[in-house]
Amino acid sequence: MAEEKHHHHLFHHKKDEEAEQPAGGYGGEATEYSETTVTEVVSTGEDEYETYKKEEKQHKHKEHLGEAGAIAAGAFALYEKHEAKKDPEHAHRHKIEEEIAAAAAVGSGGFAFHEHHEKKKDHKDAEEASGEKKHHLFG
């Protein structure tokens, strides 16, 4: 298992409260710069395949949550549409809630669609990482 480490250096601006103010300067505080090192671990081979498969599973879970949200919001929109007809005194309120629920259903469906494509991308990346080449007739 080969692991490579990459170091990134970030500079942080740090105020020095014990420093004296310069004589004839702008009257600002003296500053000191410190350096922080961030270590990033890059993995290869089997770990990369497992990472893609894990991400694919997470995207599948999120896709299902998006689908469930779309179904629930759509059902609530239909319920509010029914309530608007049933309760004419508060029909305007029910119509507004119906519109909001419909917008939430569309947004949730869009999220599910997005996660579906992320899942497909991770599946393809996992196949490439494993070295497996599948031959498809039309794609």
Side-chain angles (χ1 to χ4, degrees):
M1 205 179 297
E3 292 183 359
E4 300 174 19
K5 293 185 180 183
H6 297 281
H7 295 284
H8 299 281
H9 299 286
L10 304 173
F11 293 95
H12 297 281
H13 188 249
K14 185 171 136 183
K15 294 181 181 176
D16 187 9
E17 296 177 4
E18 298 177 7
E20 299 175 18
Q21 289 187 357
Y26 292 105
E29 297 180 11
T31 57
E32 176 184 314
Y33 291 93
S34 65
E35 185 176 336
T36 303
T37 303
V38 177
T39 303
E40 181 180 321
V41 177
V42 178
S43 59
T44 57
E46 297 260 336
D47 290 338
E48 188 176 359
Y49 174 77
E50 291 172 11
T51 302
Y52 284 128
K53 288 308 257 183
K54 187 176 184 180
E55 286 179 6
E56 182 183 351
K57 186 177 178 182
Q58 290 172 348
H59 288 302
K60 182 178 181 180
H61 179 72
K62 289 178 182 179
E63 178 186 358
H64 288 173
L65 287 176
E67 291 169 350
I71 291 169
F76 187 70
L78 289 175
Y79 168 76
E80 286 299 327
K81 186 174 188 174
H82 171 72
E83 286 294 309
K85 292 178 183 176
K86 186 174 138 184
D87 184 14
E89 188 177 333
H90 301 105
H92 183 67
R93 174 184 176 192
H94 292 296
K95 286 216 178 259
I96 290 172
E97 289 182 356
E98 175 193 352
E99 294 281 330
I100 292 170
V106 169
S108 190
F111 177 73
F113 184 74
H114 165 75
E115 289 298 325
H116 176 73
H117 285 283
E118 289 292 317
K119 178 182 74 170
K120 283 174 57 175
K121 186 183 81 168
D122 282 339
H123 181 74
K124 183 180 176 185
D125 291 344
E127 281 182 354
E128 289 175 4
S130 70
E132 221 176 275
K133 296 287 183 191
K134 292 193 176 185
H135 300 284
H136 296 287
L137 186 59
F138 298 109

